[in-house]
Amino acid sequence: MTVFELKPLRFARGLCCHGLVAARLLPLQTLHLDDKVDMAEWERLYLQTGWGDVLPKFSLPRQNTDGMCQLLEMAIGTELSVLRQDSWALATTTRDLFSRA
């Protein structure tokens, strides 16, 4: 699949999640799909998508992670499991796009 084949809603949800990670409002680990890759590979994939040269550090207290996830689910209107899948789809297709450039 290419980034151009992602459905607009999946693209937008993945972009929103990655943007929150880049803004340090959501930990990257929250979007990790355990059954796809290990955490080190997920971090490497995130860096390959062009969001930055270093992994962003979550800026809120750790105890706020669950609250951020709940707010995100309410704001976007879908479950975290779907957001993880959309984040994965965006990351893999974006990486592929950058690797061809």
Side-chain angles (χ1 to χ4, degrees):
M1 175 185 300
T2 69
V3 71
F4 303 107
E5 294 169 317
L6 270 178
K7 293 186 181 209
L9 185 57
R10 290 195 75 197
F11 183 84
R13 289 188 304 229
L15 198 58
C16 178
C17 290
H18 282 259
L20 288 171
V21 170
R24 301 174 12 190
L25 296 173
L26 190 68
L28 181 61
Q29 295 83 355
T30 301
L31 302 176
H32 177 231
L33 275 173
D34 296 330
D35 61 334
K36 296 286 186 186
V37 293
D38 62 25
M39 193 61 212
E41 182 61 28
W42 176 236
E43 290 172 347
R44 197 169 19 263
L45 176 60
Y46 178 84
L47 291 173
Q48 292 172 343
T49 61
W51 285 94
D53 297 330
V54 296
L55 292 172
K57 302 284 186 205
F58 183 51
S59 63
L60 301 175
R62 280 282 165 201
Q63 64 265 26
N64 293 6
T65 302
D66 289 341
M68 279 300 295
C69 291
Q70 290 172 347
L71 287 172
L72 183 59
E73 288 175 322
M74 287 176 14
I76 295 181
T78 194
E79 295 179 2
L80 188 58
S81 60
V82 173
L83 298 174
R84 285 183 177 125
Q85 293 169 8
D86 294 342
S87 296
W88 169 261
L90 179 74
T92 55
T93 56
T94 305
R95 175 204 52 206
D96 295 344
L97 180 67
F98 281 119
S99 68
R100 292 183 190 136

